[in-house]
Amino acid sequence: MSKQIAMYIEQISPIPADMVIVAGDIGHYNTQNKEFLIQLSSIYKNVLFTLGNHDLYLVSSHSCSAYKNNSYNRVKDMKEWAEEQPNIHYLDGQTIELEGLKISGLSMWYDYTYGIENFGLTTDAMKNLWKHSMNDYNYIVSSPKFDPLSFYSTEKDKLDLIGEVDIMVSHFGPLAINIPPIFHDATTGFYYFDGKDTIERIKPKIWIYGHTHKAFKHKLNEDTILLCNPMGYPNENPYKQMEVFDV
């Protein structure tokens, strides 16, 4: 595994920078995720990451047993591990200062807005669609059953406490804009949340997010650039490389 990860990191061409930011969906196993972040930390001065929906998945009987059928135990394991690493930072609603920059982040979650506003679906209809179209329903394990809007509410409470920052990171995108026609359907409501007011309030120079598998860079206004630079599934974007930016 270690050699495979090293080859992958070489493939995405790490180049000199003050830090590297990983906006979630690192992988399905914490052992793999930790090795990936450790190898990045040997190259970059600081590694910052948040977790995505795939980082909550329990995809095997071994994972279910190890984390006692609770995806939140998997999150807890990553959080406690990161606290022991000298230059690896798990972003979970706090704001840190590195290289003179204020940086904040968290997972956030989708809020169904796109499907409700563009297709007139009710919240119940969106939840039913979610059950039948998203692996989150099958692989995020908890008791009671994982509820997307409840988790969104918890994440939104964290987001509301964040003040002005230079760099903001979330797994889910804060705005569903310039959606290609091929993705214009109600399931896009499971990829974004309505973060317009938050963007106006915290005024990030750049907001980095993941989750979607299509690269996107957009100057939203004079203050903020939206950036999504996904690696995707194995072999999905074989020539994809890291995006470098100055703040």
Side-chain angles (χ1 to χ4, degrees), residues 29 32 37 46 52 94 133 140 144 158 191 223 227:
Y29 299 96
Q32 165 193 291
L37 295 171
N46 286 287
Q94 79 279 31
S133 61
I140 299 180
K158 299 176 191 176
Y191 287 82
D223 297 317
L227 174 63

Side-chain angles (χ1 to χ4, degrees), residues 33-203:
N33 294 0
K34 292 172 185 176
E35 177 64 23
F36 176 67
L37 295 171
I38 286 172
Q39 290 199 29
L40 286 177
S41 74
S42 70
I43 301 169
Y44 295 96
K45 187 175 179 181
N46 286 287
V47 176
L48 299 91
F49 75 99
T50 192
L51 298 178
N53 52 319
H54 283 260
D55 301 311
L56 276 73
Y57 284 11
L58 302 183
V59 297
S60 68
S61 58
H62 176 77
S63 293
C64 287
S65 175
Y67 299 112
K68 300 179 180 178
N69 291 309
N70 191 332
S71 290
Y72 299 114
N73 287 333
R74 191 179 165 206
V75 174
K76 182 173 181 284
D77 174 56
M78 283 299 296
K79 182 175 183 178
E80 291 178 349
W81 170 83
E83 288 172 350
E84 298 176 353
Q85 310 307 311
N87 65 333
I88 300 176
H89 311 274
Y90 170 41
L91 299 174
D92 189 32
Q94 79 279 31
T95 298
I96 62 177
E97 188 164 337
L98 295 171
E99 306 295 334
L101 298 170
K102 287 185 177 181
I103 306 167
S104 191
L106 72 173
S107 295
M108 269 311 293
W109 213 258
Y110 40 83
D111 62 0
Y112 301 169
T113 298
Y114 192 86
I116 292 171
E117 292 186 351
N118 289 278
F119 297 91
L121 298 185
T122 65
T123 298
D124 286 344
M126 286 296 294
K127 187 168 185 178
N128 186 58
L129 178 63
W130 170 77
K131 288 179 180 179
H132 292 91
S133 61
M134 294 294 287
N135 283 327
D136 295 6
Y137 177 74
N138 297 308
Y139 294 125
I140 299 180
V141 182
S142 67
S143 180
K145 182 67 177 174
F146 178 80
D147 178 66
L149 290 189
S150 294
F151 195 77
Y152 164 79
S153 180
T154 299
E155 293 294 287
K156 183 62 163 57
D157 286 344
K158 299 176 191 176
L159 183 63
D160 288 343
L161 296 176
I162 296 172
E164 291 190 13
V165 295
D166 298 298
I167 300 173
M168 182 66 194
V169 185
S170 63
H171 179 61
F172 296 91
L175 283 178
I177 57 175
N178 297 340
I179 303 298
I182 191 174
F183 298 125
H184 181 59
D185 61 55
T187 60
T188 294
F190 309 133
Y191 287 82
Y192 300 89
F193 66 96
D194 183 0
K196 180 180 178 181
D197 291 344
T198 301
I199 293 171
E200 293 176 353
R201 179 176 59 82
I202 70 175
K203 298 177 173 62

